[in-house]
Amino acid sequence: MKIHISDNLRAVPQSILPWFERNQRDLPWRHNHDPYRILLSEIMLQQTQVAVVIPFFHRFINVFPTVSTLADAPLQQVLALWQGMGYYRRARNLHACAQAVMQHHNGAIPDTVNDLLSLPGIGRYTAGAIASIAFGRQDAAVDGNVGRVLARLLALRKPTDAELWKVAGQLVPANRPGDYNAAMMELGAIVCTPKSPKCQTCPLQQVCLSHERGLENKIPAPKAATKQPLVSAITVIATSNDRWLLEQRPASGRWGGMWQFPTVERDGRIPRSWRIESLLNLPGGESVQRLGKVTHLLTHRRYEFEAYLAAGVPELSTPLQRWVDADNLPNFGMPRPQQKMLQMAQQRLAAIANES
Ligand code: SF4
């Protein structure tokens, strides 16, 4: 589809930049244009909200103030620091990205979209954001927020990604492209929100076709809901003398390289026979009490963990498992559902201790 960009729309940068200067949030990665800080923030923001990212960003910058300190760190330390933000593939990619910058770019984050795209974990949006914000290059950056603003400005009900990138590329100005991209993201985050956009305070109200036609709540058209397939899991939390049995997940795939309580997973619901068999195969599983269920939603999967507690069991383990002192647990990056199950186990143990 050919999309016409009116002269009015070409004035979007002039309208949005003064608004951005007055209204942008004070975010720690906006304090300077250090490419490392921009890269770190953009990777953290890929699937996590700003308010959640801020403390993690400070923590990372304190521990890894430069790309070389991050590249030199053990992956386990990076994963442990990332714990609580989810989508751990980003942490592994971030670490690999820092190492690639050291090995192939003499420690300097590349300044072109093409070179940035060659780094692990950097897609088209992140490359455009870094190139424009850190290096002042006239490149577009279309994330969910920017895409929604563009769709509404042009009253596009079901725009394709290609259409949105094309429009974005035509609007990004030569002067202050990074501020412009950041302004569009900010507008999408705080004014042109998914529900009930605040058109009365919007600096683009005069040129917005959706607003002119009263369509701002209908554009973009909602996507058909898809139900993620279910993965069921049985987890046995084996503990003895305040030591806990952990095992490491395989290096690749979901939660790759992270630590968990011994767990078995299967696609679909758990038949009774599989539950009994699985429990007997997990350490301490023959003498367990049920803790409850933990559900966890990911973009492409729904997880249901059935958690069991096996307290006071012999400290046996396989080569991939390790008994860890309670004090040392924070050094082992664990996925969020495993952390929840740890809390459940600790609460149950405290209740048992109170009763006796
Ligand atoms: Fe979004 Fe409303 Fe602004 Fe249009 S006028 S860009 S719909 S907030």
Side-chain angles (χ1 to χ4, degrees), residues 19-38:
W19 172 86
F20 185 55
E21 282 156 20
R22 288 193 305 274
N23 294 283
Q24 64 173 302
R25 290 166 293 178
D26 179 20
L27 302 177
W29 45 90
R30 288 185 178 156
H31 293 172
N32 61 45
H33 286 186
D34 175 2
Y36 171 61
R37 291 168 72 96
I38 310 275

Side-chain angles (χ1 to χ4, degrees), residues 148-149 152-153 187 191-193 197-200 202-206 208-211 216:
R148 183 174 58 257
V149 174
R152 284 176 174 160
L153 283 175
L187 190 79
V191 175
C192 194
T193 44
K198 303 168 189 68
C199 300
Q200 296 317 316
C202 178
L204 307 182
Q205 190 195 116
Q206 299 300 321
C208 178
L209 292 181
S210 291
H211 181 65
E216 55 265 41

Side-chain angles (χ1 to χ4, degrees), residues 326-339:
D327 294 350
N328 203 14
L329 282 175
N331 296 320
F332 289 75
M334 295 170 74
R336 192 185 294 262
Q338 297 284 332
Q339 293 170 39

Side-chain angles (χ1 to χ4, degrees), residues 135-264:
F135 299 107
R137 295 207 175 257
Q138 191 178 6
D139 290 307
V142 182
D143 65 353
N145 283 329
V146 175
R148 183 174 58 257
V149 174
L150 292 174
R152 284 176 174 160
L153 283 175
L154 286 114
L156 305 171
R157 276 181 191 275
K158 290 186 179 175
T160 63
D161 285 350
E163 287 166 346
L164 292 173
W165 275 92
K166 195 165 178 197
V167 171
Q170 288 175 272
L171 290 181
V172 65
N175 185 30
R176 300 175 62 194
D179 284 347
Y180 166 78
N181 282 334
M184 290 290 277
M185 294 170 205
E186 192 77 339
L187 190 79
I190 64 177
V191 175
C192 194
T193 44
K195 286 186 185 156
S196 309
K198 303 168 189 68
C199 300
Q200 296 317 316
T201 62
C202 178
L204 307 182
Q205 190 195 116
Q206 299 300 321
V207 297
C208 178
L209 292 181
S210 291
H211 181 65
E212 182 186 307
R213 298 172 190 173
L215 295 173
E216 55 265 41
N217 283 304
K218 296 192 173 147
I219 289 181
K223 292 193 177 129
T226 52
K227 200 168 181 197
Q228 296 96 327
L230 174 71
V231 177
S232 303
I234 300 234
T235 296
V236 169
I237 303 169
T239 179
S240 168
N241 297 321
D242 217 11
R243 286 161 60 76
W244 303 76
L245 180 60
L246 298 184
E247 65 183 15
Q248 193 167 25
R249 290 183 68 91
S252 60
R254 182 80 58 213
W255 297 309
M258 302 195 72
W259 292 83
Q260 64 182 12
F261 300 108
T263 295
V264 286

